[in-house]
Amino acid sequence: MIDAQRVDFIAVPVSDLTVADAFYDETLGLGRNPNASGERWVEYETGNLTIALSTFGGGVAVGVADVDEARGTLEDAGLEFSMDTFDSGVCNGAPFADPDGNRLLLHHRYAPLETWKPPPTDVQRTDFIGVNVKDRAAAADFYGGTLGLQRNPLTHDDWPEFDAGNIVLLTSTPEQKGGGEYEPVYTIALRVLDVAASMDRLRAAGVEFAFPELYDTGVCHMAFFSDPDGNALMLHHRYAPYSDGSMP
């Protein structure tokens, strides 16, 4: 078990950074961090989570105090890493994957980052990162046991959430979401005040949704769409409290 402190960012793989940048900036209206963007990497802030548009590939960056120490712990547990630990000049990272092939990264930034306050947008925060898995029990062993993330006891057993500090990871199988062939994929759930209103705004900007109307689960409203590279996104608003009366 490692001491996962938070999710530092989720890297979203893109093929054309200019096109992707315009979508997240102009269409979604997210706050673009001018202090953390370059020719191959652009960061957007959603309040609690950084979304990084990356030409290097995608994955969830798990923040740890010491990458080498955390890597050693995971290697002792039988986990294999895809490459040597790297030093980018501002951070250390070590990429690996969960049992179903979802890409992850041990990450520690050692260089200071200039503070920046994003402007207000329709998106209030990121509610969760949806993780597509083949077997929820095996995923629970990995995220709760190997990575040491705490399971939220208020969440339904069929839709378990694992707390990474600033964000939760919600695991589910393809069968729960309508079936289809499994593929390792993340879904970023963006919290908005009114899903229907946000759908109208984005539809006017050319966004196509998987379903013409918002999806009501009985506890929340959702609307599913993708960015220009096919990365899964979701508008999300939970209106029902947990069993103890609290709201996430």
Side-chain angles (χ1 to χ4, degrees):
M1 181 182 295
I2 65 172
D3 181 19
Q5 300 175 335
R6 55 174 280 124
V7 170
D8 284 344
F9 59 83
I10 179 169
V12 176
V14 301
S15 56
D16 188 320
L17 190 56
T18 300
V19 172
D21 192 15
F23 179 82
Y24 282 82
D25 182 6
E26 300 167 11
T27 304
L28 290 187
L30 299 183
R32 187 184 195 274
N33 189 339
N35 303 320
S37 301
E39 294 181 355
R40 300 191 62 185
W41 183 275
V42 176
E43 292 186 4
Y44 283 86
E45 302 300 335
T46 64
N48 60 321
L49 180 70
T50 299
I51 298 175
L53 310 182
S54 170
T55 60
F56 301 102
V60 171
V62 179
V64 294
D66 188 308
V67 170
D68 288 334
E69 180 180 337
R71 177 174 182 153
T73 299
L74 293 180
E75 287 179 327
D76 289 343
L79 192 69
E80 296 184 0
F81 285 76
S82 60
M83 60 179 286
D84 292 338
T85 299
F86 66 80
D87 186 332
S88 71
V90 298
C91 66
N92 296 124
F96 63 106
D98 74 3
D100 294 313
N102 294 291
R103 297 179 64 178
L104 296 152
L105 173 77
L106 294 177
H107 180 261
H108 177 75
R109 184 182 178 103
Y110 56 79
L113 181 64
E114 186 178 347
T115 59
W116 174 76
K117 185 177 180 180
T121 70
D122 285 352
V123 175
Q124 300 174 323
R125 55 171 285 138
T126 299
D127 275 343
F128 59 85
I129 298 172
V131 185
N132 201 28
V133 301
K134 297 177 182 177
D135 185 314
R136 289 197 309 277
D141 288 341
F142 180 80
Y143 286 96
T146 304
L147 295 189
L149 304 183
Q150 184 176 359
R151 162 77 194 277
N152 183 348
L154 299 175
T155 55
H156 196 282
D157 288 343
D158 290 342
W159 303 90
E161 295 178 4
F162 297 89
D163 189 355
N166 58 321
I167 191 71
V168 297
L169 305 181
L170 186 155
T171 59
S172 61
T173 65
E175 291 75 18
Q176 293 176 269
K177 303 184 289 282
E181 185 176 350
Y182 174 79
E183 60 177 330
V185 66
Y186 295 112
T187 302
I188 303 174
L190 303 172
R191 179 187 295 186
V192 294
L193 185 62
D194 186 322
V195 171
S198 292
M199 287 179 72
D200 288 342
R201 182 184 72 81
L202 292 179
R203 192 177 282 118
V207 173
E208 296 183 1
F209 289 88
F211 306 102
E213 304 295 334
L214 63 82
Y215 181 71
D216 191 335
T217 68
V219 297
C220 63
H221 291 155
M222 298 177 171
F224 308 95
F225 64 107
S226 300
D227 73 6
D229 289 282
N231 296 294
L233 297 165
M234 175 198 306
L235 299 176
H236 182 258
H237 178 80
R238 181 171 180 126
Y239 56 81
Y242 288 134
S243 58
D244 67 349
S246 65
M247 291 290 288

